[in-house]
Amino acid sequence: GENVEQHPSTLSVQEGDSAVIKCTYSDSASNYFPWYKQELGKRPQLIIDIRSNVGEKKDQRIAVTLNKTAKHFSLHITETQPEDSAVYFCAASYSSASKIIFGSGTRLSIRP
Amino acid sequence: NAGVTQTPKFRVLKTGQSMTLLCAQDMNHEYMYWYRQDPGMGLRLIHYSVGEGTTAKGEVPDGYNVSRLKKQNFLLGLESAAPSQTSVYFCASSWGYSNQPQHFGDGTRLSIL
């Protein structure tokens, strides 16, 4: 069935260190993988996305990698800062329907 | 551009009452979505619409109805509210198919007593 698994559910890293969040998806036809950041009490906001025709995409301190064979993708945040503290959601598109499926989220905390 | 606007922002209902949540977007997006967000469960799709006059069921449609009479508006209705529907509801919209970014509203916090 349609499913996106996200790990870990919580992550605490020292300021300045890197953080990695991993997701797996079930539909081999999925071709779009966005990542959203949600600060406490706010709306989810897109921070980066990747399409199935590329293996990696970077935007300053954020990068996403995609392994289509293994059906998993990851978010990498380098040189973490206090403002990176939030809940992060991965998602995958499903070509059989006009929708995306979200992972259950990762609560990232940055320790000073 | 206001983007995606949801009303109301907060609401408390009694079990059995009905209400309608309104979502409006000014980006001329074709697709609109309603999600609910519960602790530890991420965003779950309730219903969605791929254009004016269309609706489709998502993962958790039971107890909800929707309508998309105008392209810019997507309404979510609870006919007989239940405590299990206590949640934060988010509306989102996108240009087109599932491979386009979704833009979210600020959410509606709904409590059912």
Side-chain angles (χ1 to χ4, degrees):
Chain A
E2 303 165 345
N3 194 36
V4 176
E5 298 279 347
Q6 183 172 348
H7 299 280
S9 57
T10 60
L11 180 60
S12 178
V13 301
Q14 194 77 31
E15 183 177 350
D17 289 349
S18 296
V20 180
I21 302 170
K22 298 181 179 181
C23 291
T24 60
Y25 59 98
S26 57
D27 185 358
S28 57
S30 293
N31 60 9
Y32 177 63
F33 307 91
W35 286 88
Y36 287 83
K37 176 184 179 182
Q38 186 179 29
E39 297 177 356
L40 190 62
K42 300 292 182 66
R43 69 178 76 180
Q45 292 195 296
L46 181 76
I47 55 171
I48 195 167
D49 56 11
I50 191 169
R51 299 182 189 281
S52 58
N53 57 345
V54 298
E56 184 176 2
K57 183 176 179 180
K58 283 186 178 181
D59 183 3
Q60 298 182 357
R61 295 186 298 109
I62 293 173
V64 58
T65 58
L66 172 65
N67 183 327
K68 288 176 59 180
T69 303
K71 289 191 282 188
H72 67 69
F73 57 113
S74 300
L75 177 71
H76 304 254
I77 306 174
T78 59
E79 301 173 12
T80 53
Q81 300 170 5
E83 53 265 37
D84 295 329
S85 293
V87 178
Y88 292 81
F89 293 98
C90 64
S93 67
Y94 280 82
S95 59
S96 61
S98 306
K99 59 186 180 181
I100 61 175
I101 302 295
F102 284 85
S104 56
T106 296
R107 182 173 300 279
L108 175 63
S109 300
I110 308 301
R111 302 191 304 271
Chain B
N1 271 358
V4 179
T5 303
Q6 292 184 233
T7 52
K9 296 190 186 306
F10 305 95
R11 187 72 183 268
V12 178
L13 291 178
K14 294 181 180 179
T15 297
Q17 287 185 318
S18 64
M19 80 161 295
T20 300
L21 280 64
L22 172 64
C23 177
Q25 53 94 4
D26 61 2
M27 296 174 283
N28 201 32
H29 285 170
E30 285 293 335
Y31 286 38
M32 296 187 75
Y33 307 82
W34 275 108
Y35 295 91
R36 60 177 290 172
Q37 184 173 38
D38 302 295
M41 301 192 72
L43 292 154
R44 293 185 293 168
L45 184 64
I46 305 171
H47 287 281
Y48 62 102
S49 168
V50 301
E52 182 177 315
T54 74
T55 63
K57 293 181 180 180
E59 300 171 74
V60 289
D62 294 343
Y64 305 95
N65 57 75
V66 288
S67 64
R68 182 102 181 267
L69 299 179
K70 292 184 178 180
K71 185 177 182 178
Q72 63 267 34
N73 296 337
F74 194 29
L75 278 64
L76 178 70
L78 286 73
E79 291 186 346
S80 179
S84 61
Q85 293 177 305
T86 293
S87 189
V88 179
Y89 293 84
F90 284 99
C91 176
S93 69
S94 67
W95 278 112
Y97 205 57
S98 57
N99 60 355
Q100 297 296 318
Q102 294 188 8
H103 300 260
F104 284 82
D106 286 333
T108 295
R109 187 172 297 275
L110 184 61
S111 295
I112 316 296
L113 304 178

